[in-house]
Amino acid sequence: MRCSQLFAPTLRETPAEAEVVSHQLMLRAGLIRKAAGGVYSYLPLAWRILKKIEKIVREEMDAKGGQELAMPIMQPAEMWQETGRWNVYGEEMFRLQDRHNRNFCLGPTHEEMITTLVRGDVRSYRQLPLMLYQIQNKYRDEIRPRFGLMRGREFIMKDLYSFDRDEAGLDESYNKMYDAYSRVFTRCGLSFRAVEADSGAIGGSGSHEFMVIAESGEAGIVYCGKCDYAANDEKAELHPICLPSEEQLPLDEKATPGMKTIAEVSQFLSISPEKTIKTLAYRTDTGTLVLALVRGDHEVNEIKLLNKVGCIQLEMANEEAITQALGSRAGYLGPVGLEGKENIIIVADATVMNMNNAVCGANKLDTHYSNVNPGRDFKPSIVTDLRLIQENDPCPHCGAPVKTARGIEVGQVFKLFTKYSTSLQATFIDVDSKEKPMVMGCYGIGVSRTMAAAIEQNYDKNGIIWPAPIAPYHAVVVPVSTKDEIQMALAEKIYTELNASGIETILDDRNERPGVKFKDADLIGYPLKITIGPKAINENLIEVKVRRTGEVLYYGQAEYLANIKELLKNL
RNA sequence: CGGGGCGUGGCUCAGUUUGGUAGAGUACCUGGCUUGGGACCAGGGGGCCGCAGGUUCGAAUCCUGCCGCUCCGACCA
């Protein structure tokens, strides 16, 4: 390919709409253009990158026995109604109707479709296990699409589904996929971590997420420096903290005018935040008020709360709801004296139950209680692990202090068990002649998001730095002056030789000043740049600059090919 | 869903307060010159000023509605 022909319109300035680095650089480097909010065209360079990621994914899926197929993007409502997700999925599902007013959706995922497909044609244990996958567009009408390809409404995903006879088989399939995913992201040249995850709305249990480590990551992860524990912070468990017992003092009411936050209250009363109980009010989708209690210096893990309460949605209660239910305002909430109240659930973190003579809101403006003793002064409906893990909290496996990091979720593996096979009657006849539901797993990789994540992890002030395995081209050949026939002849020769030896190379034959071509090369992020200028001509040396390190190397014309091949192995 | 900001040539933005012939930089085209990190000179094309109504002799500018983009928020008490 020649740059003079290439459709890669680079921008000198960053478009105002782009917030995160990957989005900015993809627009500037001429990789993507927006069609609508969260919907993008992939330009030729981006398409090459995506194809490379897909190729790696295919090879690894196939190596584990996966078989590629293609299912419809447009899916009839009926199968979603059978699993109940037509209603559960909510606003996030793109829905449409045909001319007969029949309902369809654009697939946000394909459990229903694949399970319906398989149940029709798999009858015997002899046909199992089965691993089927596809790579195609998915559609989710995100509340707030943002960050370019990181959170789009249309995105490319690889989704594989496994069907097994029993849980032992599922474990095996799951482990194969876990292994395949590790290989995929390693081959893409990414720094990543597999972490234990909550299984979320898809259902099932047993799940890992594959996180590309990056500052801009939306997910918080924790990992242990001592053992191999790593988890999404939504998932990370915590054991209750043991506290010394104290003599229980009588409950006391304290005036705390204007003191709303834990910091204000504890300072005002000259106590440590660890002696306070924080009360957060949430509302479920059914209108129940949930009061979540954690120690003042702790944070609530909303996922844990959601799972415990067992509702579909949970959001912070607004001022009105709080006043109506408790006659109080945020800042002065507490669990005391609420027993027997209709439509209120009190959920306490286990550590709270070990506290003595604590301070909490009195459900009265400008007032707190002191000497509150859980169990004596209030009895929660649920006591559980509710805390959000923080840096230096003890590892749930070995107790060593955990570290925190940010990650971009690029893949997730789930054990679904028989959730979908049961609701969709995907059964088989086992060796014992009994009819059983297939045991399923599902495994996704965000292909377009992986491209974005690769940029978030690999860039500098000049542009993108592609890991060689997913770079659109391995090398760019830049003749300093296109008008210089000797330079051009050499550039053409090098360009041809590189491509002939399997190194994907682009020739920047544009009649531009060298600075322009260098800037574009850096912006687009080819791993290697080969400059053909007076130096190369006069000294007979091939000059190679490594994008990642800035290192400049010179090779004789006889051995440059071998050297470049060697260089690329480590990029 | 709530709130703020923004919509002017492909991109970045000025002009809107105080209504009066639509601008700059960059990008693009032509010619010249130049060629080791986004040069320079000359000439040129390109805009229903987001859309629809309204006020006015006259609207990018004022008013109303809608649409789009973007950020923040959805109360961590």
Side-chain angles (χ1 to χ4, degrees):
Chain A
M1 176 55 72
R2 289 154 192 273
C3 289
S4 59
Q5 314 291 311
L6 179 71
F7 182 51
T10 54
L11 302 174
R12 189 177 292 235
E13 285 168 289
T14 304
E17 68 189 49
E19 176 75 2
V20 296
V21 170
S22 62
H23 190 194
Q24 293 175 345
L25 290 176
M26 277 192 273
L27 288 169
R28 282 194 58 206
L31 261 48
I32 59 169
R33 287 293 182 264
K34 183 172 68 181
V39 182
Y40 294 86
S41 293
Y42 305 113
L43 275 45
L45 288 174
W47 196 239
R48 286 182 71 94
I49 296 157
L50 290 167
K51 289 287 165 202
K52 291 197 171 185
I53 297 172
E54 287 180 10
K55 182 165 186 280
I56 292 171
V57 170
R58 278 196 179 91
E59 287 171 3
E60 296 301 333
M61 293 303 111
D62 293 349
K64 299 294 183 188
Q67 303 178 58
E68 187 170 3
L69 48 61
M71 290 180 281
I73 284 170
M74 197 176 95
Q75 307 186 10
E78 287 77 16
M79 53 180 68
W80 288 83
Q81 286 158 349
E82 270 191 75
T83 59
R85 288 209 295 179
W86 184 257
N87 296 322
V88 173
Y89 227 97
E91 304 270 271
E92 222 168 278
M93 186 148 71
F94 276 107
R95 293 156 205 260
L96 63 155
Q97 292 187 323
D98 68 9
R99 62 172 72 197
H100 307 294
N101 297 324
R102 282 191 287 251
N103 287 309
F104 290 84
C105 68
L106 299 180
T109 175
H110 280 70
E111 282 85 10
E112 279 79 0
M113 183 62 74
I114 192 103
T115 309
T116 307
L117 175 72
V118 167
R119 78 173 170 195
D121 290 287
V122 173
R123 302 302 321 143
S124 161
Y125 73 94
R126 290 180 223 270
Q127 292 165 282
L128 301 176
L130 202 51
M131 290 200 281
L132 301 171
Y133 75 97
Q134 59 175 351
I135 300 176
Q136 59 151 222
N137 279 341
K138 292 279 184 284
Y139 296 83
R140 292 183 194 171
D141 195 0
E142 295 283 345
I143 304 177
R144 214 176 125 193
R146 56 186 145 172
F147 306 148
L149 294 193
M150 300 264 280
R151 183 168 292 280
R153 295 194 294 173
E154 175 183 83
F155 55 96
I156 302 172
M157 185 166 157
K158 185 282 310 180
D159 46 326
L160 183 145
Y161 305 88
S162 67
F163 297 85
D164 282 280
R165 292 168 63 183
D166 51 26
E167 289 191 16
L170 170 60
D171 286 345
E172 209 170 299
S173 296
Y174 187 89
N175 290 339
K176 280 184 184 170
M177 281 300 119
Y178 186 101
D179 185 50
Y181 276 36
S182 303
R183 293 181 53 88
V184 165
F185 297 118
T186 302
R187 284 183 61 189
C188 286
L190 300 173
S191 161
F192 70 98
R193 189 135 201 164
V195 303
E196 290 180 17
D198 184 77
S199 41
I202 294 187
S205 65
S207 175
H208 285 85
E209 286 165 342
F210 287 75
M211 298 282 192
V212 167
I213 306 301
E215 271 306 308
S216 58
E218 287 191 90
I221 66 183
V222 294
Y223 59 97
C224 180
K226 213 169 157 196
C227 71
D228 62 359
Y229 178 79
N232 188 311
D233 62 10
E234 294 176 342
K235 163 83 177 176
E237 297 148 30
L238 283 162
H239 302 303
I241 300 172
C242 292
L243 298 166
S245 59
E246 295 172 22
E247 187 191 339
Q248 296 195 347
L249 303 172
L251 190 68
D252 193 13
E253 203 175 287
K254 300 265 189 200
T256 49
M259 304 296 149
K260 297 182 67 171
T261 65
I262 292 292
E264 288 164 358
V265 170
S266 50
Q267 197 183 358
F268 183 76
L269 297 175
S270 302
I271 53 166
S272 128
E274 292 172 21
K275 292 298 280 183
T276 67
I277 298 172
K278 191 181 330 193
T279 307
L280 271 45
Y282 292 85
R283 234 166 62 108
T284 70
D285 46 284
T286 55
T288 304
L289 195 73
V290 176
L291 293 184
L293 311 182
V294 292
R295 199 170 75 174
D297 58 321
H298 293 161
E299 301 296 332
V300 168
N301 181 329
E302 295 188 1
I303 302 293
K304 288 181 183 174
L305 182 64
L306 182 88
N307 289 340
K308 268 299 167 205
V309 173
C311 58
I312 295 165
Q313 271 191 338
L314 199 62
E315 55 181 30
M316 282 281 184
N318 58 27
E319 191 90 20
E320 274 175 63
I322 291 173
T323 309
Q324 201 188 348
L326 302 172
S328 177
R329 284 183 43 191
Y332 307 100
L333 302 184
V336 179
L338 297 179
E339 267 143 83
K341 273 226 174 196
E342 290 276 312
N343 233 7
I344 295 182
I345 304 176
I346 298 173
V347 187
D349 180 60
T351 299
V352 169
M353 300 312 288
N354 296 341
M355 294 172 70
N356 304 290
N357 300 322
V359 166
C360 71
N363 290 327
K364 202 159 122 189
L365 198 61
D366 296 334
T367 314
H368 281 77
Y369 283 127
S370 65
N371 300 331
V372 174
N373 287 285
R376 182 192 74 178
D377 299 318
F378 67 91
K379 293 188 180 61
S381 329
I382 303 173
V383 175
T384 181
D385 168 25
L386 207 57
R387 246 172 96 191
L388 182 68
I389 198 165
Q390 290 166 329
E391 179 112 27
N392 293 327
D393 271 329
C395 165
H397 285 189
C398 74
V402 297
K403 295 181 170 61
T404 58
R406 308 292 305 170
I408 300 164
E409 185 198 334
V410 289
Q412 185 163 17
V413 291
F414 276 108
K415 291 182 184 175
L416 296 171
F417 297 97
T418 58
K419 181 181 164 93
Y420 294 95
S421 50
T422 302
S423 54
L424 292 164
Q425 289 108 46
T427 59
F428 66 101
I429 306 299
D430 207 350
V431 68
D432 57 9
S433 301
K434 287 194 174 133
E435 185 174 25
K436 296 177 185 172
M438 298 174 206
V439 184
M440 296 173 55
C442 75
Y443 316 85
I445 291 179
V447 174
S448 43
R449 186 187 270 188
T450 298
M451 174 167 73
I455 296 172
E456 292 291 335
Q457 200 175 67
N458 297 284
Y459 71 93
D460 64 16
K461 67 178 191 328
N462 294 313
I464 304 168
I465 305 170
W466 288 111
I470 59 173
Y473 291 91
H474 299 132
V476 56
V477 174
V478 183
V480 169
S481 169
T482 11
K483 296 252 169 86
D484 184 325
E485 285 175 19
I486 300 170
Q487 280 182 30
M488 278 311 287
L490 180 59
E492 291 277 2
K493 175 170 173 278
I494 305 279
Y495 166 65
T496 307
E497 285 177 1
L498 283 167
N499 275 315
S501 68
I503 296 161
E504 295 170 22
T505 306
I506 189 163
L507 174 65
D508 198 343
D509 58 338
R510 294 175 300 169
N511 182 22
E512 291 283 356
R513 294 171 59 82
V516 173
K517 295 190 271 197
F518 293 154
K519 286 287 183 190
D520 271 354
D522 286 353
L523 178 60
I524 292 169
Y526 309 107
L528 296 176
K529 178 176 63 195
I530 296 152
T531 306
I532 308 295
K535 282 183 214 162
I537 303 296
N538 298 337
E539 298 168 38
N540 239 348
L541 289 173
I542 305 299
E543 173 184 326
V544 179
K545 186 165 184 177
V546 179
R547 174 67 180 89
R548 187 176 293 277
T549 58
E551 196 179 2
V552 181
L553 304 159
Y554 297 92
Y555 301 116
Q557 294 204 15
E559 78 275 359
Y560 81 97
L561 271 175
N563 283 302
I564 283 177
K565 276 190 181 166
E566 200 54 38
L567 266 180
L568 282 171
K569 280 187 191 162
N570 301 314
L571 294 171

